[in-house]
């Protein structure tokens, strides 16, 4: 296994310009690569990853030791750490992506004009995708694989603390590409830890980056959105709501609220605020709060929530805006569906919001009027996930309205063009 | 008719911030407006435009007189000038857009997951669209209508020389909105000629502009792409090619080349370079050049083109890169389809390119490998037009790969979200 060697950062701009140039060149070949070649590369990369597990674990151990010595937080170490099981999951992920349909070349629409011209709208790659992520080495494989499958060249820039681990995983991807006869520059790992490399990517590398995908916390995404001179598929945060509306079945509401909040509290689709309609507050508010507290959740609420259960502490204005990513929820009683929608639109992040009700009319209104990437009726917000949507894998959940919205899978990493078939037509 | 009065530019930033705030507010109402209300507004605007023709022509006469006094070019005056026929065409355009299907709320895709969740992907508006255009007053109505139909609020900023004309047309749009009970802020005309207003729009007006559409020449579009802090649907230029390949029928080639170049030379889909394959050069090159020259076209060519016809002047490297928008064409002989594709990729602008051949294999390769928004087989490049594609109307032709590509009609001015229908599902 040949590991990428960290290059000295004395001229990051020069290094990055070369990375961009090579990515653009590789992207031209990759755009025309067969499904078979791309899948061979992905499967071979998975095999190489399993074969080189010892080296990957050793590289990761060095990263983890350095991070611990630097005194970083436990949750950070957890995300950084690779194990046999995690490497197996990453390798399986590569095979899953290989198994997905190839989006490139798919005819999305086709119609014939009165003059006989047949117009096909056909999926094409985006070109070069820059992925900027934190110290989660698995993203190296996940993001690289999705970009590759969609026919894009990828420039991956992981967190500096995971450099050795990412390089070890990247080596397997490169060997897979090589085995498939594809350009090894199709998936490049930025060969320096210097943070200036991020700035260079955000500048677009002389037009050689077509889109940036940031994967990480608020600080990273905000920086990317602030500085990027190229389009960004970002999800800023997931301040998700569950609205228990009139005619909500209590058992269903309880099960959805508990799942939305507590299944995993650290994911972007976790609920952060519970809105209970006044119409069902008398019967539902107390039991829902009790269920959350019994499940280990800290509940902050408005005056009525505090009245319903003495264990509820007061919520401040700030709570309605907060993505806790923790076992904490804010609870509020709202006067009808318009007040609920208004709350979601005022404080939410346009990520994922759910309504629980047996009233189809209310559900229809909520789903039509809440302007979020994902809106659900009688289902948990934790379904906000590319895998759960059937996309096979995802690179993140986009909350913007441009190009990609919601789970970003292989299809969202493509563009399209129009292919027009004539028989000599000229325009009058 | 109430004309927008130009506001003093002593505080453009304040004025524009208010414009943005009002657009965002209106966009929320417009996003939920019925098809009927939007169509009533468009039809009423068309009627008002016809009714107020005298006032529109008077406002336009004042613009034209001022522009002539300032000594601007004749082609500029032509684009600025309104006539009875042009106003009638603008009014008809409003009615055409009213007749288009409403994209908002359309279910683009729908599938059911193994757990029973039904996922609908539904079209939604983009939000607030900023349109920056030159002194073509008709764009005020065309762009405003498309944005409105797609449920977006529009902020329109036309060229300073067309301010009075644009204001007169805008007044009709506002009256149409008012008649339909829609917020009149749904289509705003920037109330100052100060160029600082453009900069303010490009900054995004505190997050109140979701996308910028520049319509105009190279200078305008380049400035917008350079400065915009929000996504841009731009077409930089149309350096379009016709490639006459092996097995091209001479008659078909002649008809397509003449149409692609000469039907209208000032449109972005006009051909600027003719590539003739060596396989047919002996038989086709001379006749094609002669036909162009006889049609009044100035032909610049490589050595072989010059040999084929003495009237051909030498082409320089610069010619391959030039969008003439005039009766001039550059001609080159290429060695096979790979050389042709390579030329198009090197010098083209990813707008519209065509191949003429009876060989399906060559056509398939060209259409798959040329990375342009529109690629055609045996048809004229001048079909690069939203109307010709069946989109009803367009706001421009996008050459980027993000979100919109090719003709930007009402559908391209929308986003989508996911609406998930459950029966109490929680995620395991």
């Amino acid at each position: 296994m040949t590991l990428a060697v960290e290059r000295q950062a004395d001229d990051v701009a020069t290094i990055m310009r070369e990375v961009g140039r090579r990515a653009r060149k590789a992207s031209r070949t990759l755009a025309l690569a067969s499904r078979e070649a791309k899948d061979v590369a992905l499967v071979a990369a998975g095999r190489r990853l399993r074969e080189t597990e010892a080296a990957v674990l050793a590289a990761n151990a060095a990263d983890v030791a350095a991070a611990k010595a630097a005194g970083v937080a436990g949750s950070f170490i957890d995300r950084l750490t690779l194990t046999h099981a995690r490497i197996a999951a990453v390798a399986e992920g590569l095979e899953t992506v290989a198994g997905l349909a190839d989006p490139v070349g798919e005819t999305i629409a086709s119609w014939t004009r009165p003059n006989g011209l047949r117009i096909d709208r056909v999926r094409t790659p985006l070109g070069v995708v820059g992925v900027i992520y934190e110290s989660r080495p698995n993203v190296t494989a996940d993001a690289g694989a999705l970009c590759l499958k969609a026919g894009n060249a990828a420039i991956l820039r992981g967190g500096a603390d995971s450099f050795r681990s990412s390089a070890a995983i990247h080596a397997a991807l490169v060997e897979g590409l090589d085995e498939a006869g594809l350009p090894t520059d199709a998936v490049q790992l930025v060969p320096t830890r210097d943070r200036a490399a991020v700035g260079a990517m955000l500048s677009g590398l002389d037009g050689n980056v077509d889109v940036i995908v940031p994967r990480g916390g608020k600080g990273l995404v905000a920086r990317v959105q602030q500085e990027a001179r190229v389009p960004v598929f970002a999800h800023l945060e997931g301040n998700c709501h569950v609205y228990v509306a009139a005619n909500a079945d209590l058992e269903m509401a309880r099960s959805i609220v508990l799942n939305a909040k507590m299944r995993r509290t650290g994911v972007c689709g976790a609920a952060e605020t519970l809105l209970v309609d006044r119409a069902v507050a008398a019967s539902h508010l107390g039991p829902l709060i009790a269920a959350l507290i019994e499940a280990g959740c800290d509940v902050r609420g408005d005056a009525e929530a505090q009245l319903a259960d003495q264990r509820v502490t007061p919520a401040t204005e700030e709570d309605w805006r907060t993505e806790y990513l923790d076992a904490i929820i804010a609870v509020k009683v709202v006067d009808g569906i318009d007040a609920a929608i208004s709350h979601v639109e005022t404080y939410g992040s346009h990520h994922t919001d759910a309504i629980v009700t047996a009233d189809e009319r209310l559900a229809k209104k909520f789903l039509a009027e809440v302007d979020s990437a994902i809106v659900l009726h009688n289902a948990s917000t934790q379904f906000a996930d590319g895998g759960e949507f059937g996309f096979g894998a995802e690179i993140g959940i986009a909350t913007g309205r441009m190009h990609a919205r919601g789970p970003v899978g292989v299809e969202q990493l493509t563009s399209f063009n129009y292919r027009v078939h004539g028989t000599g037509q000229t325009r009058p």
Side-chain angles (χ1 to χ4, degrees), chain A:
Chain A
M1 187 169 61
T2 37
L3 279 191
V5 174
E6 187 186 359
R7 292 184 50 180
Q8 285 311 303
D10 50 74
D11 194 357
V12 174
T14 305
I15 293 171
M16 292 306 295
R17 195 169 299 128
E18 188 194 330
V19 165
R21 201 184 47 72
R22 288 160 64 182
R24 176 64 72 205
K25 185 153 182 271
S27 78
R28 290 280 309 149
T29 307
L30 209 59
L32 306 173
S34 67
R35 170 179 180 160
E36 194 192 1
K38 293 185 284 189
D39 293 352
V40 164
L42 290 165
V43 170
R47 198 192 64 242
R48 284 303 291 161
L49 193 57
R50 288 196 181 90
E51 288 169 4
T52 58
E53 182 181 313
V56 176
L57 287 174
N60 185 246
D63 277 341
V64 169
K68 281 185 177 163
V72 303
S75 60
F76 182 96
I77 296 288
D78 176 56
R79 290 194 294 267
L80 173 60
T81 303
L82 292 173
T83 60
H84 169 74
R86 285 188 179 179
I87 291 175
V90 170
E92 250 173 63
L94 290 168
E95 288 151 7
T96 299
V97 175
L100 298 177
D102 188 347
V104 178
E106 188 198 338
T107 300
I108 315 166
S110 182
W111 64 100
T112 302
R113 297 290 303 155
N115 59 10
L117 286 180
R118 193 184 90 231
I119 303 180
D120 293 339
R121 194 179 181 194
V122 179
R123 273 195 218 285
T124 61
L126 283 172
V128 178
V129 179
V131 187
I132 300 172
Y133 50 105
E134 293 175 336
S135 290
R136 299 185 183 214
N138 59 300
V139 176
T140 308
D142 300 350
L146 283 172
C147 290
L148 173 62
K149 183 81 188 200
N152 301 302
I155 300 175
L156 309 175
R157 205 285 179 179
D161 295 296
S162 63
F163 187 79
R164 299 174 191 89
S165 316
S166 290
I169 292 174
H170 177 247
L173 295 175
V174 167
E175 292 181 37
L177 287 164
D178 200 37
E179 210 169 305
L182 292 173
T184 53
D185 285 338
V187 182
Q188 291 180 82
L189 185 69
V190 169
T192 165
R193 301 183 203 216
D194 195 306
R195 283 181 68 86
V198 173
M201 285 174 74
L202 297 181
S203 77
L205 302 176
D206 308 318
N208 285 327
V209 176
D210 294 298
V211 61
I212 294 278
V213 182
R215 258 194 75 155
K218 246 188 244 194
L220 170 68
V221 178
R223 181 190 168 189
V224 167
Q225 292 206 314
Q226 188 76 26
E227 290 183 27
R229 305 301 298 149
V230 288
V232 174
F233 296 161
H235 83 273
L236 264 177
E237 53 184 321
N239 186 12
C240 306
H241 299 74
V242 176
Y243 167 44
V244 175
N247 275 314
D249 175 80
L250 177 57
E251 275 325 299
M252 187 190 286
R254 181 158 27 209
S255 136
I256 287 174
V257 168
L258 280 176
N259 188 264
K261 177 69 254 184
M262 299 300 288
R263 174 186 159 269
R264 283 182 65 189
T265 57
V267 297
C268 59
E272 307 293 5
T273 293
L274 166 64
L275 302 172
V276 177
D277 199 278
R278 186 169 307 284
V280 292
S283 52
H284 291 22
L285 184 59
L288 291 173
I289 292 172
L292 283 161
I293 292 176
E294 278 146 35
C297 188
D298 178 14
V299 179
R300 304 179 185 175
D302 66 357
E304 295 178 68
Q306 292 169 60
L307 270 176
D309 193 307
Q310 291 185 10
R311 294 166 295 180
V312 174
T313 55
T316 65
E317 173 77 7
E318 197 47 32
D319 282 299
W320 312 124
R321 301 191 186 281
T322 302
E323 184 187 21
Y324 301 112
L325 295 175
D326 203 347
I328 307 171
I329 197 165
V331 179
K332 186 185 169 77
V333 172
V334 290
D335 283 316
I337 188 163
D338 286 316
I341 292 171
S342 169
H343 182 99
V344 173
E345 288 297 314
T346 305
Y347 298 103
S349 61
H350 307 293
H351 190 293
T352 299
D353 300 288
I355 182 173
V356 183
T357 183
D359 184 333
E360 284 295 334
R361 196 184 45 83
L362 290 178
K364 198 173 169 197
K365 182 176 165 75
F366 187 87
L367 265 54
E369 298 192 15
V370 170
D371 181 26
S372 295
I374 303 170
V375 278
L376 308 104
H377 173 212
N378 289 346
S380 168
T381 55
Q382 299 235 357
F383 285 111
D385 174 272
E388 292 296 326
F389 270 56
F391 294 175
E394 67 165 58
I395 205 168
I397 308 260
T399 53
R401 293 195 207 88
M402 224 50 64
H403 193 92
R405 195 179 195 195
V408 179
V410 284
E411 278 188 11
Q412 286 69 37
L413 290 172
T414 62
S415 179
F416 61 85
N417 71 356
Y418 295 99
R419 305 189 184 173
V420 183
H421 305 269
T423 50
Q425 283 88 343
T426 56
R427 189 167 168 194

